[in-house]
Amino acid sequence: MATMSGQVWVALISLGGVVLGGLLSYLVQHRTQVSAERAEQQRQQIGVSEARRAERLALLERFVEVGAEAERSAFRGLPNGESVRDYLEDDRLAFLDAARAVMG
């Protein structure tokens, strides 16, 4: 009986080691997966932020271009019967449409 009980204990300890090893392996894999998902989310957020930044920069550049054109027009003069407002209205509307599209 003593040998039988010793063999049972050895088997149970071995089984416990297998269960513990499997549990630890699962936890490590789960932690690694969660970490990888977090890193991917951060990469996506950075990509979206960079795209938004580029869009805002393009709109700002366009704004500066329109302002510079308005300033040049003020020094050049306008065709007879046209005001500065008439001259810039088309560019302003296009700018506002683009800004609305970006802002949602």
Side-chain angles (χ1 to χ4, degrees), residues 7-86:
Q7 289 175 350
V8 169
W9 277 110
V10 169
L12 288 176
I13 290 173
S14 177
L15 179 63
V18 169
V19 168
L20 181 62
L23 179 63
L24 290 174
S25 176
Y26 169 78
L27 290 175
V28 168
Q29 287 178 359
H30 178 70
R31 191 73 139 168
T32 302
Q33 181 181 2
V34 167
S35 176
E37 287 171 356
R38 248 188 246 138
E40 181 61 29
Q41 269 184 337
Q42 286 177 340
R43 279 193 290 275
Q44 287 177 353
Q45 286 176 347
I46 289 170
V48 168
S49 296
E50 288 296 320
R52 288 180 181 162
R53 181 181 173 277
E55 289 173 0
R56 287 191 303 261
L57 185 58
L59 286 174
L60 183 60
E61 288 172 350
R62 180 70 182 128
F63 175 79
V64 170
E65 287 174 11
V66 170
E69 182 63 30
E71 190 174 328
R72 283 191 294 275
S73 295
F75 288 111
R76 257 194 329 233
L78 295 171
N80 291 338
E82 249 187 73
S83 70
V84 172
R85 180 183 171 97
D86 294 337

